[in-house]
Amino acid sequence: KQEVTQIPAALSVPEGENLVLNCSFTDSAIYNLQWFRQDPGKGLTSLLLIQSSQREQTSGRLNASLDKSSGRSTLYIAASQPGDSATYLCAVDQAGTALIFGKGTTLSVSS
Amino acid sequence: EAGVAQSPRYKIIEKRQSVAFWCNPISGHATLYWYQQILGQGPKLLIQFQNNGVVDDSQLPKDRFSAERLKGVDSTLKIQPAKLEDSAVYLCASSFSHGVLYEQDFGPGTRLTVT
């Protein structure tokens, strides 16, 4: 059974700092890995999707990497801003199944 | 393009009462998902539809939860009777199909509080 773990559970950083969020999964037979952002009381916003054949994806200040063989992904946020404060969720899917999520990392960026 | 719509946004009920949630997916999206997100947890799939057929309902507590997707468009999720542990955010998502390359678009969710 696939399990997704995210470390740390919470993170507080000052504005401008670069940071890394970690995600690990137990079954390497995934098709996609996706990073989402969730603001309080809101739904999920997709940030980056990495297909199993890819190693990384970039969007603006965000970079996500995938090491499928070791079951790990990282989300790198450069030059963090207070507006980046949110919960970041990692999810994987296998063979067209629904997404399996981690518990998320709650990020707080102080000005 | 309009996003996934859900209503109501918030609902407070007493235990043993019933409640229903509604979801309208993005036009043309054949696959619809209902997820349950308990506070501090990631979303967990309850049921997945492909058009109006059920693909996966293995994690749906069928003694109290039911869902339907008539005509392969809108969907309703019902809880009867509700328990305290059903307090959660219920997220609806849709995708063009359930293939591996189709991203899911999420609605804003319905926050249910059972007292």
Side-chain angles (χ1 to χ4, degrees), chain A residues 55-86:
Chain A
R55 299 285 285 184
E56 66 177 338
Q57 284 284 348
T58 298
S59 176
R61 295 181 293 107
L62 305 179
N63 176 275
S65 68
L66 173 63
D67 185 342
K68 190 177 158 185
S69 61
S70 68
R72 295 181 180 180
S73 175
T74 61
L75 178 65
Y76 175 82
I77 302 177
S80 59
Q81 303 171 357
D84 295 330
S85 298

Side-chain angles (χ1 to χ4, degrees), chain A residues 14-96:
Chain A
E15 182 177 6
E17 192 162 300
N18 302 326
L19 59 100
V20 174
L21 307 182
N22 296 291
C23 172
S24 62
F25 45 96
T26 55
D27 185 347
S28 62
I30 66 167
Y31 277 63
N32 297 316
L33 185 140
Q34 202 164 356
W35 284 93
F36 291 88
R37 169 181 173 143
Q38 187 172 34
D39 292 284
K42 301 288 181 63
L44 276 63
T45 300
S46 179
L47 297 173
L48 292 165
L49 182 147
I50 311 177
Q51 298 175 24
S52 61
S53 59
Q54 298 174 324
R55 299 285 285 184
E56 66 177 338
Q57 284 284 348
T58 298
S59 176
R61 295 181 293 107
L62 305 179
N63 176 275
S65 68
L66 173 63
D67 185 342
K68 190 177 158 185
S69 61
S70 68
R72 295 181 180 180
S73 175
T74 61
L75 178 65
Y76 175 82
I77 302 177
S80 59
Q81 303 171 357
D84 295 330
S85 298
T87 295
Y88 292 81
L89 293 160
C90 169
V92 300
D93 70 68
Q94 300 177 275

Side-chain angles (χ1 to χ4, degrees), chain B residues 92-110:
Chain B
C92 179
S94 69
S95 65
F96 182 73
S97 183
H98 69 287
V100 298
L101 297 179
Y102 299 115
E103 289 190 49
Q104 296 179 31
D105 293 289
F106 282 80
T110 295

Side-chain angles (χ1 to χ4, degrees), chain B residues 2-3 11 14 16-17 45 47 51-52 56 61 82 89 92 112:
Chain B
K11 190 74 177 179
E14 296 181 352
R16 291 188 289 274
Q17 286 187 324
L45 178 73
I47 189 166
N51 296 310
N52 61 352
D56 183 358
V89 175
C92 179
L112 173 67

Side-chain angles (χ1 to χ4, degrees), chain B residues 3-6 21-34 48-53 67-77 92-95:
Chain B
V4 177
Q6 290 188 246
F21 312 129
W22 173 82
C23 172
N24 183 272
I26 291 174
S27 178
H29 279 193
T31 308
L32 186 146
Y33 309 80
W34 283 101
Q48 177 183 348
F49 291 95
Q50 177 70 11
N51 296 310
N52 61 352
E68 61 182 8
R69 191 183 184 197
L70 300 177
K71 301 181 181 178
V73 182
D74 293 5
S75 177
T76 57
L77 176 69
C92 179
S94 69
S95 65

